Amino acid sequence: MADATNGKRIAIVTGSALGLGFELTRRLIDAGWFVAGVDFNAERQAELAETFGADSYQAFVGDVSDEAFVNDAIARIADLGHIDLLINNAGQPSFKTPTAYEAADVDKCLKGLKGMILWSVATLKADGEQDLKIANVMSTAATRGNANESVYCATKWGEKGYTQSLKAAYKGTSVKVVGVYPGGIDTAFYRDSHDYVSEEKQHTFMDPGQLADVILFNLVNAANLTVSDILIERNYV
């Protein structure tokens, strides 16, 4: 099974079906990587598997916060070879006034944090805690408090805490951990929150393709260095 990638470096991208995750996936494949893409959107995953081909993309359909799914997927990916890069990109928003939040909103936002932890742990184990780069895509919401994003910010601050703790644990080793903090992106991420982020406002946000270029320029390069934090703000006009 190790020959299935034809010697390509292996990356895992969660939330690979649409938006920033798709743009990161497409660019990695264009650069010669094999991508294991993870998303709950089965229809879109089938499209990507056909588009990219089995020699460049393998689709995994499931909930990123489901531990059994994570462990099964990692075992199958590890059979292909050493995992070089994990991009924890999957997450779901919930933008509401402070008193409008309910337990379901908390659970929805926490899926990203839980998934980040599960995929990181499983990948670290599969790689023997060696020669791995983990990129945790969060949000500028992990760096400040925002009105009407109290629960979303809380979970993003949790993701930042986990990311910083991983950095401390693997300092001086061949495991590198990168925190990625983008501002607003012009994607369907806001489709359920257009009372808070209108479509007109959404379209002033960053282009996901351009953002993916900036992230990968800093994340994947031949230089003997690691950019440990990538904070990207959109231009205000």
Side-chain angles (χ1 to χ4, degrees):
M1 297 229 9
D3 292 334
T5 66
N6 295 317
K8 296 178 179 179
R9 290 175 293 176
I10 298 174
I12 299 171
V13 179
T14 68
S16 63
L18 298 167
L20 178 60
F22 167 72
E23 297 295 343
L24 291 167
T25 295
R26 182 164 67 86
R27 283 159 173 75
L28 283 168
I29 290 172
D30 287 346
W33 287 71
F34 180 92
V35 175
V38 184
D39 206 283
F40 62 80
N41 188 332
E43 182 178 356
R44 178 64 174 160
Q45 283 284 61
E47 291 177 4
L48 296 184
E50 182 176 355
T51 298
F52 292 131
D55 61 340
S56 294
Y57 188 81
Q58 185 169 349
F60 294 85
V61 179
D63 180 345
V64 294
S65 64
D66 181 333
E67 188 171 27
F69 166 66
V70 174
N71 290 335
D72 177 69
I74 288 292
R76 291 165 58 192
I77 298 166
D79 279 345
L80 301 174
H82 181 86
I83 302 166
D84 300 281
L85 174 65
L86 167 65
I87 301 181
N88 283 307
N89 170 73
Q92 297 185 57
S94 182
F95 303 141
K96 295 184 176 183
T97 60
T99 56
Y101 277 107
E102 300 175 348
D105 302 308
V106 180
D107 292 340
K108 180 181 180 181
C109 288
L110 282 172
K111 281 182 178 290
L113 172 58
K114 185 177 179 181
M116 179 181 290
I117 295 170
L118 293 177
W119 284 94
S120 297
V121 170
T123 305
L124 283 162
K125 288 180 177 179
D127 273 356
E129 299 178 271
Q130 295 181 38
D131 301 320
L132 171 66
K133 182 171 285 187
I134 298 174
N136 290 335
V137 180
M138 292 166 275
S139 165
T140 52
T143 67
R144 57 180 178 250
N146 295 325
N148 300 333
E149 297 182 19
S150 55
V151 171
Y152 183 67
C153 285
T155 55
K156 293 303 170 185
W157 279 55
E159 291 175 12
K160 181 180 180 180
Y162 180 70
T163 300
Q164 297 296 335
S165 296
L166 277 188
K167 288 183 185 181
Y170 290 101
K171 183 178 180 179
T173 74
S174 60
V175 174
K176 306 303 179 185
V177 182
V178 180
V180 183
Y181 305 91
I185 311 170
D186 185 6
T187 71
F189 188 73
Y190 303 96
R191 63 187 175 274
D192 297 326
S193 306
H194 278 146
D195 56 334
Y196 173 59
V197 179
S198 67
E199 288 196 63
E200 181 181 5
K201 181 179 179 181
Q202 174 192 311
H203 293 324
T204 68
F205 292 172
M206 292 183 287
D207 177 86
Q210 293 177 351
L211 178 58
D213 285 334
V214 172
I215 292 172
L216 291 176
F217 176 80
N218 287 277
L219 188 62
V220 181
N221 55 64
N224 184 27
L225 54 82
T226 298
V227 179
S228 62
D229 286 296
I230 306 172
L231 174 64
I232 307 169
E233 298 273 13
R234 68 184 186 273
N235 290 331
Y236 290 84
V237 292

